[in-house]
Amino acid sequence: MAGHTENSITIDAPLDLVWEMTNDLENWPRLFSEYASVDVLSVEGGTTTFRLTMHPDENGKVWSWVSERTPDREKRTVRARRVETGPFAHMDILWEYAELPGGVQMRWTQDFAMKPDAPVDDDWMTDNINRNSRTQMALIRDRIEQVARDSESASVASSR
């Protein structure tokens, strides 16, 4: 068996802002609540290899892994995968962005499988990823929308 999740949210902000903020890896610790740090290891062509380190979990364990991420601005997609898979047999992620009348829809699709000796199974991880994705997407939406509002206010103030 394998795990598959799809989650999306609409962000009331311009596509350029959503794209820039969600693809600025070095600022992810300020965008996501779960990441303590991001260390860019290499950039080759359009692909960035980086280490993500989470804040300690409820047991004090710090999770960290290496991923690679390849954005395609024209297609409004980003493909990512874990290079250091840890408890996953594989983890592939697709981010998609679509302009809608109410803003930008950001969709995350994750396909994965847990290793046989992993501490949790595919079903548990599917539930965990769905729950966490909704939480993180709401935080990201709120943070980007705040930047958009602040930028709009500054623009209005400077035009006076």
Side-chain angles (χ1 to χ4, degrees), residues 58-117:
E58 62 276 357
N59 299 316
K61 178 158 177 53
V62 174
W63 296 92
S64 182
W65 63 91
V66 173
S67 290
E68 64 181 25
R69 186 173 169 82
T70 306
D72 184 330
R73 181 68 169 87
E74 283 184 26
K75 292 182 180 175
R76 299 178 181 171
T77 61
V78 179
R79 294 196 177 275
R81 71 179 186 92
R82 281 193 183 205
V83 177
E84 287 180 3
T85 58
F88 293 91
H90 68 88
M91 167 60 88
D92 300 301
I93 307 169
L94 173 65
W95 291 44
E96 298 172 286
Y97 301 81
E99 285 184 288
L100 303 174
V104 176
Q105 182 187 61
M106 181 177 67
R107 176 184 305 280
W108 296 344
T109 303
Q110 293 172 272
D111 289 298
F112 61 91
M114 302 309 294
K115 291 179 179 173
D117 62 348

Side-chain angles (χ1 to χ4, degrees), residues 140-154:
I140 290 167
R141 177 201 60 213
D142 293 350
R143 289 172 177 164
I144 293 173
E145 288 180 354
Q146 184 62 53
V147 169
R149 281 192 301 274
D150 292 350
S151 175
E152 192 174 291
S153 294

